Amino acid sequence: MTNTTSLENSKKSHYQIIVVGAGHAGIEASLSAAKLGLKTLVVTTNLDRVGYMSCNPSIGGLAKGHMVREIDVLGGQMGIAADRSCIQFKRLNASKGPAVHGTRTQNDKKIYSNIQKSALENQENLDVIEGEVKKLILEKNICRGVVLQDGSEIYSDRVIITAGTFMNGVMHMGFQQTPGGRIGDKASIGLSDQLKEFGFDVQRLKTGTPARLLKDSIDWSKTTPQSGDEKFYPFSFTSDRKFYLEQILCYLSNTNEKTHEIIRQNLDKSPMFCGIIEGTGPRYCPSIEDKVTRFSERISHQTFLEPESLTSDLIYLQGISTSLPVDVQDQFLKTIPGLENVKVARYGYAVEYDYIEPTQIYHRLETRPITNLFLAGQINGTSGYEEAAAQGFIAGINAAFSVLGKDEFILSRSEAYMGVLIDDLVTKGTREPYRMFTSRAEHRLILREDNTIDRLAGISKKIGITSETQLSQLFTIKDQRDNLMKILSTTIFYPNQITNDKLVGLGSSPLLKPFTGEELLRRPEMNFGHMQSMGIDYFSDENVTDSVEIAVKYSGYIKKQYEIIEQSQKLEQMNLPEELNFQNIKGLSGEEIDKLLKVKPRTLGQAQRISGVNPSAIQAIMIYLRGHKSEKQQKSQISL
Amino acid sequence: MFSADRELKTICALMTGPGSAAVAVIRLSGLDAFKIIQKSCPSLIKKKLESHKSYLAKFFDQNNNLIDQPLITLFSKGQSYTGDETVEISCHGSMYIVKKVIDTLIVFGATTAEKGEFTYRAFMNDKIDLVQAEAVLSVIQSQSENSLKISLRQLEGESSKIYRSFEDQMTWCLAHIEASIDFSTEGLDIVDPKALLDKLSTLKKDLNLLISTYNQGKIIKDGVKIVLAGQPNVGKSSLLNNLVLDEKAIVTHIAGTTRDVIESETGFSGYKFKISDTAGLRETSDVVEMIGVERSKSETLKADINVFIYDLVVGISANDLKILKGLTGQVLLVGNKLDQSVEKTITTETTKKLQEALPANHIKGHVLVSALDPRARDIILTKTLELLGTSQYIDNSVISSVWQHELTSQAAESINQVINELESGLGYEFVAQSLKKSLMDVQKILGKVYDDQILDRVFKEFCLGK
């Protein structure tokens, strides 16, 4: 077992993997590499901020919750920490269909961070040091290690950068600018300049965070308490299905016209609005300045007051991120009911930072220009803890696999949201912080939270970081589901008096012909509880029955989804040779050629997803490939 | 589809019809079009070549023999029909000259174009969308005023515009449904279910309206098919001759003179009519006539309108009723020999008899004429157009091809499903899927979604030189 080691010791050793950063991406990257047996080093600028939740105190949400479950089944860490630090639980979209349910936990930030820190400390093959990586050691286009702020060099086979918002990070609060990636932490300078010099397309993004308020200064009577769900569906299949911690309330309040008026009058002091910030902000997580301007017809915006921890006085003001000056923040906050006398512990601010345009990386998250260099997390233009963790996990596995001489590990768009995430990034690139949505997944009906185990248990086994006991746990659930499915499809109900009486009693209609259990369950009014009273003798837990019920009930739609994507699946199977020269293909516009050369799609299906590449271009490439093939065949015939 | 080794080729073909004519036009298009024409017309080498300009030049073959002095019109890249560099050579319309010109172009590096290849290149170069590509074909094939009218409108992008507006509306609905899934926690009332349903209902109505134009579109493009049916010797052939203003069928007083199906064409009120005279449908022991009768029966299945003719003088016979019973589709009843008949109007007794033979919804009209009277043509053809409801559609956009009809119908069906699903309270993610499917169908029509089969279907019907 290793521990936080001394700088001196680390410098002497040669690592197989170095992970730069210990945020949500860095943790998954380093743990997965170390679990695969590779000697791994994590370099973080602040040992007290390992796995720190820099912004909102919650994990999951729509589409994000899906990814946390996926990471968990594959052997990752995020779900475990989220379950064990959960202080309020909610299943979002519960009123909508089962494919778009989203699990979200609100978390005790301190506990979350502690769990992650000790996960790193207790992991075999893993060292953690405090330090700032200033440079990569490059040998032509091959990365050989990193150089720290004191000039010392640490060599390694692979380097994974998970620098978050730290590369050339600048914090804005009104016109006041401070270098840094997060309040209390320095920016990391040097690394992105080196990448830029090497020829990487490096761009700016921005993100923001709201003020943190002191609990005792809030008049809670003017807010509406919001409780979480009583029933806990943990992210991790390894977690208990009862809460680990005391569950707390959040509180709802609203902005009003007064609030908006103050913000409008002071827009000229917002660095976003007077052009000081060049980076593009997240459209989907707008600042309050944005909301007031863009939705000017709305006279109120909701905000949740969320405790950041069971043991701190800090309240997170969800939905009100801002980069206005301190005095303006004070002014508008006090117009919000309950905050009339509020005391601010930390004011809101915006962060501007460098990211690498992600079309420059392969699906395995290794960069195209520099071999052995992997990137994961916000550095690739994403927003959110979950998006970062998903990439960290994939980068860690691939960095390790490449050292071990194994094939690259890529999840397809039809297997996981994680696959959608990475394919979108490397195919389309991004000009704003990329956030996952269920609508990004064309296989949405298949990529559900409830069937994560069915989708990924086999893949988890192949990766090889999930323990034997846990694998058997996964496969027990999967087998039970398969088994139940078999029982349903083979049990036949005949239209006799007893059956029909029971059905009528359950509010359904009598049978006119024999039905299988599966057909019966497909009736809208039937659920699995009903099936049990009909005599389906399989009293397993709902972890098994829920997923089967959904699969049965929506099988018609699921089948239709397969039909719709069949055509694109065909294109997905048409591989584009790496040496394919798009310039030689007639019928492609200059813009299309540029985009294709930049992204270098692996398949015709991926080419089709590049924005600005028209269907006629796909036709042209296909024709070219056909001709190419027959040309090759002809040549080989001649040479014979 | 066109093979890959062709894409870098410069293609050429005769654009005008084969056979001697005053002028013949040959089109040359592709990367080297200007280079090739300069090789055959050396006088163009020194000139500054401008797009959309014509040059009179001497055309020589590879052995320096003068072939002709054609008018050469140049279109530079991006400004031509195909989007590639294009040359149009208007030479004297002798087939010998045409052959020599094309042979020379080939020697200098061109290759002969395949059917529809010029238009295909226009599509590949994003000069036109799929609906427009097909319209090019329709314009070439237009055989009536109305057919040309709708084809031109499609070519100008009228139909594309309608499909694009469907696409916009579907996208709007989908965006709102998706947003209400993905932003349900933001406290915004993103979608008003009633507004959504209203929009979808309008969309459904518009799609169905467009679909209903398919039969009209087919009629405008292909012409109205009329089949004349009836007992022998009721005057079908006389009527045919009157309708087509020609002596097409042999007319005698001997029953069973017409042995085979005779088809003839005529134009009326901007439409093309294809009129078939059939062998009188009767029991016969004559082998030739028997075959004729069989053919007649199958012909009536293909008709847009069956015109059933009976003899006013003889009145409705049992045989008439038997033939009537065998007819499918829409029927126009025509009582013939009005000039010789005592009865000058349709009696209720006749109507009753006829309606017993055929359900009322098949009988669309009933007129009395004399086959030899010139007014009979007007009466019957006007009535036919009226029955097909043609006039009201000419100014609307019209679907005229099978694949457009299929996809539009599919889209309408999916929209209908979306409405049902919304009303039954199904999860939005399922509703979104049905909506996505109809959106994809519309995008396929516009050529925005790649579909190999549709491209094949559109381009395989083209003629050479287009």
Side-chain angles (χ1 to χ4, degrees):
Chain A
M1 198 188 81
T2 51
N3 218 312
T4 313
T5 44
S6 77
L7 202 53
E8 285 316 305
N9 280 340
S10 309
K11 282 177 197 165
K12 283 174 204 147
S13 30
H14 177 97
Y15 286 91
Q16 287 173 296
I17 309 274
I18 292 175
V19 178
V20 183
H24 305 282
I27 288 168
E28 300 294 344
S30 55
L31 284 177
S32 55
K35 282 180 185 170
L36 282 168
L38 284 93
K39 200 166 155 40
T40 305
L41 174 71
V42 175
V43 186
T44 171
T45 50
N46 188 342
L47 272 172
D48 294 330
R49 293 277 173 97
V50 171
Y52 190 71
M53 301 170 102
S54 312
C55 195
N56 59 329
S58 51
I59 298 284
L62 299 168
K64 293 162 172 267
H66 287 75
M67 285 195 290
V68 180
R69 284 183 196 280
E70 288 171 356
I71 294 168
D72 182 67
V73 171
L74 295 176
Q77 167 69 16
M78 181 172 246
I80 295 169
D83 288 340
R84 284 159 181 70
S85 59
C86 170
I87 51 175
Q88 188 184 76
F89 175 83
K90 261 198 171 150
R91 179 177 262 195
L92 307 173
N93 266 355
S95 63
K96 300 212 164 63
V100 295
H101 291 167
T103 301
R104 186 185 64 192
T105 56
Q106 203 193 304
N107 304 82
D108 183 309
K109 282 188 173 183
K110 289 190 200 165
I111 297 176
Y112 185 91
S113 189
N114 286 337
I115 292 172
Q116 299 297 54
K117 194 173 176 189
S118 58
L120 294 190
E121 286 170 351
N122 293 322
Q123 178 60 47
E124 254 180 273
N125 307 321
L126 185 63
D127 293 341
V128 185
I129 57 164
E130 199 170 73
E132 188 195 342
V133 170
K134 285 303 228 184
K135 248 170 71 178
L136 299 171
I137 304 170
L138 293 180
E139 211 177 278
K140 284 188 182 157
N141 68 333
I142 299 170
C143 184
R144 297 286 186 206
V146 299
V147 182
L148 300 187
Q149 73 279 5
D150 62 355
S152 56
E153 297 178 332
I154 311 176
Y155 283 85
S156 69
D157 297 330
R158 303 288 183 274
V159 173
I160 306 173
I161 306 180
T162 66
T165 58
F166 283 74
M167 288 198 317
N168 287 342
V170 177
M171 293 178 289
H172 298 262
M173 214 185 275
F175 296 134
Q176 186 194 330
Q177 294 173 30
T178 330
R182 175 174 57 210
I183 283 284
D185 286 309
K186 298 176 294 181
S188 61
I189 314 284
L191 203 48
S192 65
D193 295 328
Q194 186 191 12
L195 293 175
K196 208 184 278 181
E197 270 167 41
F198 195 87
F200 277 90
D201 178 11
V202 181
Q203 303 276 342
R204 297 290 272 174
L205 283 178
K206 92 113 253 203
T207 187
T209 195
R212 308 301 197 273
L213 314 176
L214 285 174
K215 200 188 208 167
D216 295 338
S217 67
I218 297 166
D219 180 354
W220 298 100
S221 66
K222 291 184 177 159
T223 64
T224 321
Q226 305 276 313
S227 58
D229 297 350
E230 279 175 25
K231 195 158 177 193
F232 184 42
Y233 297 89
F235 285 117
S236 177
F237 69 96
T238 63
S239 294
D240 293 340
R241 267 181 273 170
K242 53 179 198 284
F243 293 116
Y244 288 81
L245 300 171
E246 169 201 342
Q247 298 296 290
I248 51 104
L249 294 173
C250 293
Y251 299 84
L252 176 66
S253 189
N254 287 286
T255 63
N256 50 50
E257 284 177 349
K258 245 191 203 158
T259 326
H260 298 183
E261 190 47 41
I262 295 169
I263 291 167
R264 264 189 220 110
Q265 280 170 3
N266 289 286
L267 278 180
D268 57 342
K269 292 172 194 145
S270 166
M272 280 262 303
F273 280 80
C274 47
I276 295 176
I277 293 184
E278 294 159 15
T280 316
R283 244 189 317 164
Y284 311 114
C285 185
S287 63
I288 188 67
E289 293 96 295
D290 262 341
K291 286 186 187 175
V292 166
T293 330
R294 274 169 45 200
F295 308 106
S296 56
E297 74 287 356
R298 290 182 70 92
I299 52 167
S300 174
H301 293 280
Q302 66 175 23
T303 174
F304 288 98
L305 285 74
E306 302 173 340
E308 289 209 332
S309 162
L310 295 173
T311 57
S312 93
D313 291 334
L314 295 184
I315 301 295
Y316 179 88
L317 192 60
Q318 190 267 347
I320 313 284
S321 86
T322 181
S323 56
L324 285 164
V326 169
D327 57 319
V328 181
Q329 290 191 36
D330 264 330
Q331 245 184 321
F332 83 70
L333 285 175
K334 290 191 161 126
T335 64
I336 298 173
L339 306 188
E340 293 81 358
N341 297 305
V342 78
K343 290 212 170 68
V344 177
R346 277 207 304 270
Y347 288 92
Y349 59 90
V351 192
E352 216 186 347
Y353 55 97
D354 282 350
Y355 80 105
I356 308 296
E357 225 294 307
T359 51
Q360 300 167 92
I361 53 183
Y362 293 104
H363 279 87
R364 60 178 175 271
L365 298 184
E366 187 176 11
T367 71
R368 291 177 197 282
I370 297 179
T371 306
N372 296 349
L373 177 66
F374 292 73
L375 307 178
Q378 276 172 303
I379 190 172
N380 290 335
T382 57
S383 104
Y385 308 144
E386 304 79 3
E387 286 85 350
Q391 294 170 67
F393 183 83
I394 299 286
I397 297 290
N398 275 305
F401 274 14
S402 69
V403 173
L404 298 171
K406 287 194 188 178
D407 284 346
E408 57 182 5
F409 169 66
I410 294 165
L411 288 163
S412 75
R413 298 179 70 93
S414 56
E415 285 170 331
Y417 271 90
M418 292 164 80
V420 175
L421 168 74
I422 290 171
D423 184 66
D424 273 352
L425 289 174
V426 306
T427 305
K428 297 176 176 165
T430 188
R431 292 280 164 207
E432 65 183 323
Y434 177 104
R435 170 175 154 191
M436 183 49 77
F437 294 112
T438 71
S439 52
R440 297 198 196 264
E442 64 277 28
H443 304 76
R444 178 164 61 191
L445 300 186
I446 303 156
L447 303 183
R448 304 188 307 272
E449 279 199 345
D450 70 76
N451 70 353
T452 314
I453 290 174
D454 309 82
R455 286 188 274 131
L456 300 177
I459 297 173
S460 181
K461 191 176 174 188
K462 270 189 213 151
I463 294 176
I465 60 176
T466 310
S467 72
E468 282 301 322
T469 352
Q470 286 170 349
L471 275 178
S472 87
Q473 218 177 322
L474 281 176
F475 280 99
T476 304
I477 297 172
K478 190 172 183 297
D479 291 346
Q480 283 176 337
R481 287 176 182 175
D482 292 347
N483 208 2
L484 178 54
M485 197 61 156
K486 210 163 140 199
I487 291 173
L488 283 172
S489 62
T490 53
T491 307
I492 295 171
F493 291 89
Y494 293 95
N496 55 37
Q497 193 65 43
I498 305 168
T499 304
N500 281 343
D501 283 351
K502 270 195 204 162
L503 279 173
V504 172
L506 292 169
S508 191
S509 49
L511 295 178
L512 298 173
K513 61 178 182 72
F515 259 45
T516 64
E518 196 182 340
E519 288 166 329
L520 201 56
L521 181 54
R522 208 167 290 149
R523 288 183 166 184
E525 67 277 8
M526 298 292 286
N527 61 35
F528 199 78
H530 295 145
M531 294 308 292
Q532 283 173 327
S533 51
M534 289 300 296
I536 291 283
D537 190 19
Y538 197 89
F539 289 86
S540 175
D541 70 299
E542 60 196 5
N543 206 354
V544 174
T545 55
D546 280 2
S547 161
V548 172
E549 183 179 328
I550 292 166
V552 167
K553 279 209 173 299
Y554 299 101
S555 59
Y557 290 92
I558 292 167
K559 199 172 142 239
K560 223 165 62 184
Q561 178 159 84
Y562 277 119
E563 282 165 17
I564 293 174
I565 52 190
E566 192 189 10
Q567 174 98 32
S568 60
Q569 283 300 94
K570 262 187 259 161
L571 296 181
E572 222 55 62
Q573 283 152 14
M574 299 190 69
N575 291 321
L576 300 178
E578 195 136 355
E579 70 278 5
L580 182 62
N581 195 344
F582 292 104
Q583 276 136 327
N584 290 346
I585 303 178
K586 175 109 194 323
L588 299 182
S589 70
E591 191 198 341
E592 283 169 341
I593 291 171
D594 285 350
K595 286 193 165 149
L596 288 162
L597 285 175
K598 194 168 158 200
V599 175
K600 295 205 181 71
R602 302 153 55 91
T603 66
L604 206 51
Q606 196 195 347
Q608 193 185 29
R609 285 192 295 278
I610 302 172
S611 57
V613 173
N614 294 312
S616 57
I618 301 303
Q619 173 81 8
I621 298 170
M622 189 183 261
I623 290 172
Y624 181 85
L625 286 177
R626 273 188 212 154
H628 213 60
K629 223 198 227 156
S630 60
E631 210 173 273
K632 266 188 189 164
Q633 280 163 358
Q634 275 167 14
K635 270 183 198 156
S636 64
Q637 273 166 11
I638 294 166
S639 64
L640 286 170
Chain B
M1 211 73 300
F2 303 99
S3 53
D5 52 347
R6 299 190 63 82
E7 61 206 19
L8 295 168
K9 297 264 166 71
T10 300
I11 51 173
C12 68
L14 175 65
M15 295 162 73
T16 45
S20 291
V23 175
V25 183
I26 292 155
R27 180 185 271 158
L28 174 70
S29 179
L31 280 183
D32 296 329
F34 285 9
K35 226 184 270 171
I36 292 171
I37 198 67
Q38 282 175 327
K39 282 187 195 161
S40 16
C41 302
S43 66
L44 294 179
I45 294 171
K46 284 161 264 163
K47 289 216 170 75
K48 184 172 165 269
L49 301 181
E50 281 180 67
S51 188
H52 292 74
K53 279 255 166 93
S54 296
Y55 303 84
L56 195 65
K58 288 194 168 115
F59 191 102
F60 298 91
D61 73 6
Q62 69 274 21
N63 301 320
N64 233 357
N65 299 318
L66 179 66
I67 305 295
D68 193 11
Q69 188 170 21
L71 189 67
I72 310 280
T73 312
L74 302 176
F75 304 89
S76 51
K77 189 171 163 52
Q79 297 189 53
S80 69
Y81 176 71
T82 58
D84 294 331
E85 227 171 59
T86 299
V87 176
E88 286 180 13
I89 306 161
S90 307
C91 56
H92 289 100
S94 121
M95 278 303 102
Y96 174 73
I97 294 177
V98 168
K99 187 176 177 300
K100 285 300 284 183
V101 169
I102 290 179
D103 285 349
T104 307
L105 295 175
I106 289 170
V107 168
F108 287 141
T111 181
T112 46
E114 289 173 13
K115 283 183 178 181
E117 199 171 3
F118 291 108
T119 306
Y120 179 70
R121 287 190 175 191
F123 171 72
M124 293 295 272
N125 288 330
D126 288 327
K127 297 288 283 185
I128 51 172
D129 66 28
L130 260 191
V131 177
Q132 289 172 311
E134 184 160 62
V136 171
L137 181 65
S138 310
V139 168
I140 300 166
Q141 292 174 345
S142 290
Q143 292 190 12
S144 69
E145 184 188 330
N146 288 328
S147 164
L148 178 62
K149 221 191 243 174
I150 61 160
S151 305
L152 282 174
R153 247 201 341 259
Q154 280 192 14
L155 185 55
E156 281 161 13
E158 271 309 303
S159 301
S160 310
K161 213 187 280 169
I162 290 191
Y163 282 111
R164 274 201 300 273
S165 111
F166 287 153
E167 188 194 14
D168 284 350
Q169 291 173 56
M170 288 171 180
T171 309
W172 184 92
C173 294
L174 190 57
H176 281 74
I177 288 178
E178 292 292 1
S180 78
I181 294 173
D182 278 327
F183 297 96
S184 63
T185 53
E186 314 281 325
L188 305 163
D189 316 316
I190 292 162
V191 67
D192 168 10
K194 173 133 193 337
L196 193 61
L197 270 174
D198 283 352
K199 192 133 195 164
L200 287 164
S201 303
T202 315
L203 197 53
K204 177 182 157 188
K205 218 178 74 208
D206 291 347
L207 277 162
N208 283 329
L209 188 71
L210 189 63
I211 291 163
S212 71
T213 68
Y214 171 60
N215 280 327
Q216 311 306 328
K218 220 177 102 228
I219 283 166
I220 291 169
K221 238 178 102 174
D222 301 343
V224 183
K225 174 133 180 117
I226 293 178
V227 173
L228 305 179
Q231 289 202 71
N233 216 16
V234 291
K236 295 188 295 296
S237 300
S238 308
L239 193 59
L240 173 78
N241 289 344
N242 185 346
L243 291 175
V244 304
L245 305 169
D246 197 1
E247 294 294 319
K248 279 285 177 188
I250 301 163
V251 178
T252 72
H253 290 290
I254 304 158
T257 303
T258 306
R259 295 294 181 92
D260 200 355
V261 177
I262 296 173
E263 194 182 80
S264 199
E265 293 185 359
T266 189
F268 179 77
S269 189
Y271 288 89
K272 183 171 87 170
F273 284 81
K274 292 189 284 191
I275 304 171
S276 301
D277 182 19
T278 60
L281 299 165
R282 65 167 180 179
E283 304 281 335
T284 177
S285 50
D286 182 326
V287 182
V288 178
E289 194 182 346
M290 234 153 62
I291 296 169
V293 169
E294 278 313 305
R295 284 200 189 166
S296 303
K297 281 183 184 159
S298 70
E299 192 71 10
T300 61
L301 294 175
K302 295 185 242 161
D304 293 312
I305 289 274
N306 281 297
V307 172
F308 175 78
I309 302 156
Y310 67 94
D311 192 327
L312 280 171
V313 180
V314 177
I316 308 281
S317 68
N319 239 338
D320 280 327
L321 298 179
K322 204 171 153 198
I323 295 167
L324 254 185
K325 272 182 193 159
L327 293 178
T328 51
Q330 308 194 62
V331 176
L332 170 62
L333 299 170
V334 175
N336 189 21
K337 306 185 186 172
L338 184 62
D339 51 337
Q340 301 164 38
S341 166
V342 190
E343 286 290 349
K344 298 294 180 195
T345 53
I346 305 161
T347 61
T348 36
E349 196 199 344
T350 313
T351 313
K352 217 181 131 196
K353 263 194 198 168
L354 292 167
Q355 279 178 354
E356 270 166 25
L358 208 61
N361 59 339
H362 282 262
I363 298 176
K364 293 295 175 184
H366 194 164
V367 294
L368 306 182
V369 298
S370 285
L372 299 173
D373 183 346
R375 282 174 299 178
R377 180 175 192 262
D378 245 43
I379 293 170
I380 291 174
L381 296 184
T382 309
K383 193 74 188 174
T384 304
L385 288 178
E386 186 192 315
L387 294 181
L388 293 175
T390 42
S391 51
Q392 53 184 313
Y393 289 105
I394 296 180
D395 293 323
N396 291 330
S397 254
V398 167
I399 302 179
S400 53
S401 71
V402 186
W403 68 270
Q404 276 179 34
H405 178 247
E406 264 171 33
L407 286 172
T408 315
S409 303
Q410 277 177 31
E413 204 179 292
S414 301
I415 290 291
N416 198 31
Q417 200 176 346
V418 170
I419 293 172
N420 291 338
E421 287 168 352
L422 276 175
E423 282 172 345
S424 72
L426 191 74
Y428 270 10
E429 74 266 42
F430 302 105
V431 178
Q433 173 167 297
S434 306
L435 192 50
K436 230 178 260 173
K437 189 169 175 308
S438 64
L439 178 62
M440 248 172 82
D441 285 332
V442 168
Q443 288 177 332
K444 276 184 188 171
I445 293 173
L446 288 167
K448 284 191 179 177
V449 170
Y450 171 80
D451 190 329
D452 213 9
Q453 288 168 359
I454 289 174
L455 291 179
D456 273 343
R457 279 165 81 171
V458 171
F459 289 102
K460 79 172 183 211
E461 287 179 39
F462 270 86
C463 56
L464 217 57
K466 196 65 207 182

